[in-house]
Amino acid sequence: MSTRSGPGDGGPDAGLDAVMSERGLLINLAYRLLGSLADAEDAVQETYARWYAMSAQQQAAIENPGAWLTTVASRICLDQLGSARARRVEHRAAGRRPHRPRRPGHPG
């Protein structure tokens, strides 16, 4: 009989389960910040990429992986929002307006 490891039981998959269980919460957080599901999924993907880029020792040193993931996802979202704002300001400073297609039958 095989048993599945869960969070807190110290099995080999315990850390992975704990980290992956945060995905829904991270998507919700990122969506609330960014307002786009596609952007939210990209931010969460980047969050997990940063988690898995760390060594097992670095991951083990993190006392609360959920809090770490939430913090990183939030910072990624805020960086995206700041970048978008900077692009808008730069666009305005250059005297350009964002392209808006004309409505059919609209003279202006």
Side-chain angles (χ1 to χ4, degrees), residues 53-105:
M54 293 190 301
S55 69
Q57 184 179 5
Q58 289 171 316
Q59 291 174 357
I62 295 172
E63 192 172 318
N64 187 338
W68 186 92
L69 291 166
T70 300
T71 300
V72 171
S74 298
R75 289 179 180 166
I76 290 169
C77 291
L78 292 173
D79 286 348
Q80 285 184 11
L81 291 170
S83 295
R85 182 177 181 273
R87 284 191 301 272
R88 284 192 307 271
V89 168
E90 181 180 300
H91 206 70
R92 287 183 191 142
R96 296 177 291 201
R97 289 186 172 181
H99 174 69
R100 293 186 185 155
R102 291 185 186 177
R103 290 183 282 161

Side-chain angles (χ1 to χ4, degrees), residues 8-51:
D9 68 4
D13 295 332
L16 177 63
D17 289 344
V19 168
M20 292 310 293
S21 69
E22 299 294 326
R23 182 169 168 70
L25 296 172
L26 296 173
I27 291 284
N28 288 338
L29 168 73
Y31 178 74
R32 286 183 177 189
L33 288 169
L34 299 173
S36 161
L37 184 57
D39 290 342
E41 289 174 341
D42 288 347
V44 172
Q45 182 71 21
E46 175 64 22
T47 301
Y48 280 108
R50 291 183 188 187
W51 173 262

